[in-house]
């Protein structure tokens, strides 16, 4: 049903005469009458009956007017949200990779305090799966990454916005090196090491193979471990070496971390969402809070410019 005709019905219920409705709406009486005739066809029941020189609403007409008040209020509320007025309300499904927690969790705490009407639901996935989920409509917003020396092809149906970079480190047994930035020459010292790679992140293994190939050797992937504690235990036990993002690296006895530098590049972090979804205020607010949270945690944080 047309919202204009529903508004006319509400006004008729409030004012009681066609002439009064005509006066407050600026329409002619005949135009108002024609709108009611169309509304009755849409409702498929009589809504108005003559009452002397006036008209009155039938029981069905009064009931529809009651519904119309609620419908129009919801429409006005939705319009106010899109116009940036009033408190934003709605559910936002956010997909994130595990080590983005230092960026995501502070943003969620602030959002709960500032905008309790936004209901955020988290799903944990690596970036490949997250991008698929975003395309399929299973998530509204994602925080994803790519390695700078292994750029990925982002789907054309999604818009991505950079939020910063994160350094990458070589986790090695203490005594095998120091914390100075890695060089290809230093990396070649690990040509016969047992390397650790995640069984779930194919891009991580691709990164290891790429940087080792650039240094002139093929790495031996001996362990496929995703649990960070077990990963660090293996390194401390002198049973392997591997790559860890800066935010997940733990200071512990027996493990040294050296920045990869140009040898391995950095992790580039993005906010991703379906093109066209950025107009919805709750999504824009979540994106803005995530970007603000990244400042001081990630490196090279650019201004956030949404579509």
């Amino acid at each position: 049903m047309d919202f204009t005709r529903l508004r006319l019905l509400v006004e008729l219920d409030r004012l009681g005469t066609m002439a009064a409705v005509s006066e407050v709406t600026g329409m002619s009486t005949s135009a108002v009458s024609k709108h009611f005739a169309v509304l009755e066809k849409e409702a498929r029941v009589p809504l108005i009956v003559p009452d002397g020189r006036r008209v009155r609403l039938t029981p069905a007409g009064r009931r529809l007017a009651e519904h119309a008040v609620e419908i129009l209020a919801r429409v006005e509320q939705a319009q106010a949200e899109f116009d940036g007025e009033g408190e934003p309300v709605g559910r936002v499904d956010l997909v994130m990779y595990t080590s983005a927690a230092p960026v995501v969790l502070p943003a969620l705490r602030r959002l709960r305090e500032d905008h309790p009407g936004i209901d955020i639901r988290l799903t944990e996935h690596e970036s490949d799966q997250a991008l698929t989920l975003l395309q399929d409509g299973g998530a509204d917003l994602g925080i994803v990454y790519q390695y700078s020396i292994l750029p990925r092809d982002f789907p054309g149906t999604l818009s991505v916005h950079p939020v910063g970079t994160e350094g990458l480190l070589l986790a090695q047994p203490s005594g095998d090196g120091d914390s100075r930035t890695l060089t290809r020459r230093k990396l070649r010292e690990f040509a016969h090491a047992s390397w650790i790679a995640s069984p779930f992140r194919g891009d991580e293994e691709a990164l290891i193979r790429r940087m080792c190939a650039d240094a002139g050797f093929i790495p031996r992937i001996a362990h496929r471990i995703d649990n960070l504690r077990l990963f660090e235990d293996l390194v401390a036990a002198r049973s392997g070496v591997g790559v860890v993002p800066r935010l997940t690296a733990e200071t512990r006895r027996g493990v040294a971390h050296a920045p990869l530098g140009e040898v391995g590049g950095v992790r580039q972090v993005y906010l991703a969402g379906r093109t066209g979804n950025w107009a919805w205020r709750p999504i824009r607010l979540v994106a803005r809070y995530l970007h603000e949270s990244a400042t001081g945690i990630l490196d090279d944080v650019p201004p956030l410019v949404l579509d």
Side-chain angles (χ1 to χ4, degrees):
M1 295 179 184
D2 182 84
F3 292 146
T4 298
R5 288 190 277 275
L6 289 178
R7 288 190 176 94
L8 292 175
L9 184 66
V10 171
E11 291 300 327
L12 181 61
D13 186 39
R14 182 174 71 91
L15 299 172
T17 69
M18 292 279 198
V21 173
S22 173
E23 182 177 351
V24 299
T25 61
M27 295 184 185
S28 66
T29 305
S30 61
V32 172
S33 180
K34 288 177 181 178
H35 274 298
F36 283 130
V38 173
L39 185 60
E40 285 191 324
K41 289 181 180 179
E42 292 174 339
R44 295 190 294 274
V45 292
L47 302 175
I48 301 169
V49 293
D51 186 12
R53 299 183 64 180
R54 305 176 55 165
V55 295
R56 59 179 173 82
L57 296 182
T58 65
R62 288 194 299 273
R63 183 59 179 153
L64 181 57
E66 293 172 2
H67 283 302
V69 169
E70 296 180 8
I71 291 168
L72 295 174
R74 291 292 185 91
V75 171
E76 290 172 3
Q77 181 183 21
Q79 188 62 56
E81 288 181 17
F82 279 98
D83 289 342
E85 302 170 3
E87 179 61 28
V89 176
R91 170 174 167 174
V92 176
D93 289 298
L94 174 65
V95 59
M96 57 172 282
Y97 58 93
T98 306
S99 59
V103 172
V104 173
L105 297 183
L108 296 193
R109 284 194 292 269
R110 288 185 57 220
L111 274 162
R112 279 198 302 270
E113 295 171 359
D114 297 347
H115 303 288
I118 298 179
D119 178 20
I120 300 178
R121 309 290 180 92
L122 284 180
T123 301
E124 179 191 2
H125 275 302
E126 285 302 317
S127 294
D128 284 338
Q129 294 83 4
L131 292 169
T132 298
L133 198 67
L134 287 165
Q135 289 182 91
D136 294 343
D140 303 305
L141 186 64
I143 184 163
V144 299
Y145 68 85
Q146 68 176 8
Y147 293 117
S148 60
I149 67 171
L150 289 172
R152 68 171 79 243
D153 290 326
F154 289 107
T157 55
L158 302 179
S159 296
V160 295
H161 302 278
V163 291
T165 63
E166 180 184 3
L168 299 170
L169 309 172
L170 178 69
Q172 56 189 307
S174 298
D176 284 358
D178 52 31
S179 299
R180 289 179 297 182
T181 301
L182 202 66
T183 63
R184 287 183 175 83
R185 180 178 178 180
K186 178 62 180 178
L187 181 58
R188 282 194 288 272
E189 297 180 12
F190 298 96
H192 301 291
S194 297
W195 284 80
I196 308 169
S198 169
F200 306 119
R201 295 187 295 276
D203 52 356
E204 180 182 281
E205 181 173 336
L207 171 68
I208 292 171
R209 293 189 180 280
R210 170 69 177 273
M211 68 182 198
C212 291
D214 289 344
F217 68 94
I218 299 174
R220 181 172 67 90
I221 309 294
H223 312 293
R224 299 189 184 279
I225 302 296
D226 195 59
N227 181 277
L228 180 61
R229 182 177 294 275
L230 178 55
F231 176 100
E232 298 278 9
D233 285 344
L234 284 169
V235 175
R238 310 184 72 81
S239 296
V241 299
V243 173
V244 292
R246 175 176 58 82
L247 294 182
T248 61
E250 295 182 354
T251 301
R252 56 175 297 176
R253 188 174 181 179
V255 179
H257 295 100
L260 296 188
E262 294 182 359
V263 171
V266 296
R267 176 185 269 184
Q268 297 169 327
V269 183
Y270 298 86
L271 287 170
R274 291 190 301 281
T275 301
N277 276 14
W278 299 97
W280 194 43
R281 192 177 174 211
I283 288 180
R284 295 178 72 88
L285 276 171
V286 174
R288 180 166 65 80
Y289 274 64
L290 288 169
H291 178 265
E292 291 174 357
S293 178
T295 303
I297 296 176
L298 299 178
D299 303 316
D300 306 316
V301 177
L304 181 64
V305 180
L306 298 178
D307 297 337

